[in-house]
Amino acid sequence: MQLNDRQEKILEIVKKHEPITGENIAEMLNVTRAALRPDLAVLTMSGYLEAKPRVGYTFKSEGVESAMRRVLNQYRVKDIQSLPVIMKESCSIYDAIVTLFIEDTGSIFVVDENKYLSGIVSRKDFLKTTIGQADIHKVPVSVIMTRMPNIVTAALDETVVAAIRKIVEHEVDSLPVVKSRVEDEEEKLEVVGKISKTNIARLFLDLAANKTKGV
């Protein structure tokens, strides 16, 4: 929710002088109590202020967090995802490393012959391999990748908050965005996108610039 100039001023006054009555706020802003009533109602219902009978208004620091949470919960992974970098299991480690740098990505999603997700390989995996004695021109990327089901994924309709929680809890840079399909009574995952720390950072920048929906 985007606050107007007067609402921003009200918050600053309450922060400095809490608890403070509506009448005192109106005096400081040189407006009538009636004119101020709608703004105070908005700030109270939105969780920024708490109105205490016979005491006045106080600032609720958690109100800002709640407002941000409400905004973020409006966004789904599909709203901010980017294109994934995908390679087949049979591709060599060398080709994967070249792709990593050309695409300027942190992870590559690996798919099987039917184009379903089978693994993920990161910069750390490549670093470990190149330090060793493996022939990166001959060894396929499938040898060093993290395999299913040990891959954390995100769904298109999943909230951005849920995706952020997965990234933080599992300490990864990105998640493959997948669609689930059932073939021969077995679940298969089709990679349709990627959500990364960069996607999330861009969303926060857009929110800060008041360019996105819900702000």
Side-chain angles (χ1 to χ4, degrees):
M1 183 185 72
Q2 175 63 41
L3 302 180
N4 60 37
D5 290 341
R6 187 156 69 187
Q7 290 164 355
E8 293 282 4
K9 291 177 181 178
I10 291 172
L11 288 182
E12 290 301 317
I13 290 173
V14 176
K15 286 179 185 178
K16 292 180 180 179
H17 305 283
E18 63 179 344
I20 183 172
T21 65
E23 288 76 9
N24 289 336
I25 296 173
E27 289 178 7
M28 291 183 179
L29 291 175
N30 196 30
V31 297
T32 64
R33 179 68 175 83
L36 201 63
R37 189 172 293 114
D39 292 314
L40 290 173
V42 168
L43 293 173
T44 302
M45 289 187 293
S46 300
Y48 288 95
L49 298 180
E50 181 177 2
K52 298 181 179 180
R54 297 186 297 277
V55 175
Y57 292 91
T58 57
F59 181 72
K60 294 175 64 176
S61 58
E62 68 272 17
V64 177
E65 297 175 3
S66 298
M68 178 59 74
R69 191 180 301 112
R70 285 194 296 272
V71 171
L72 287 177
N73 278 326
Q74 295 181 31
Y75 289 87
R76 297 294 183 266
V77 168
K78 62 186 177 183
D79 297 324
I80 69 169
Q81 69 174 3
S82 54
L83 293 175
V85 178
I86 299 173
M87 296 193 76
K88 293 183 178 180
E89 293 179 345
S90 57
C91 291
S92 70
I93 294 174
Y94 174 81
D95 288 338
I97 292 174
V98 171
T99 301
L100 188 84
F101 283 98
I102 290 176
E103 298 292 340
D104 190 24
T105 186
S107 300
I108 295 176
F109 305 134
V110 184
V111 297
D112 61 21
E113 58 184 8
N114 295 315
K115 299 183 179 180
Y116 291 125
L117 179 65
S118 61
I120 184 172
V121 62
S122 67
R123 291 176 180 174
K124 185 181 295 185
D125 296 321
F126 290 126
L127 180 60
K128 290 178 181 177
T129 303
T130 52
I131 290 176
Q133 302 298 318
D135 187 342
I136 62 175
H137 293 274
K138 297 180 180 179
V139 178
V141 71
S142 59
V143 172
I144 67 169
M145 70 184 185
T146 299
R147 293 180 173 274
M148 291 293 293
N150 299 315
I151 300 175
V152 185
T153 64
L156 287 167
D157 289 326
E158 193 170 332
T159 65
V160 169
V161 172
I164 292 173
R165 185 176 296 112
K166 288 180 179 179
I167 288 175
V168 172
E169 290 179 352
H170 295 276
E171 298 182 351
V172 295
D173 292 326
S174 64
L175 303 174
V177 182
V178 299
K179 281 184 178 180
S180 178
R181 301 184 184 280
V182 177
E183 289 190 5
D184 299 326
E185 299 183 352
E186 185 178 354
E187 184 184 33
K188 302 289 186 179
L189 300 178
E190 177 189 357
V191 182
V192 295
K194 176 183 76 171
I195 182 168
S196 66
K197 292 178 179 178
T198 300
N199 298 127
I200 295 166
R202 285 173 179 163
L203 173 60
F204 275 98
L205 284 174
D206 286 341
L207 290 174
N210 298 329
K211 292 181 179 179
T212 50
K213 68 179 182 180
V215 181

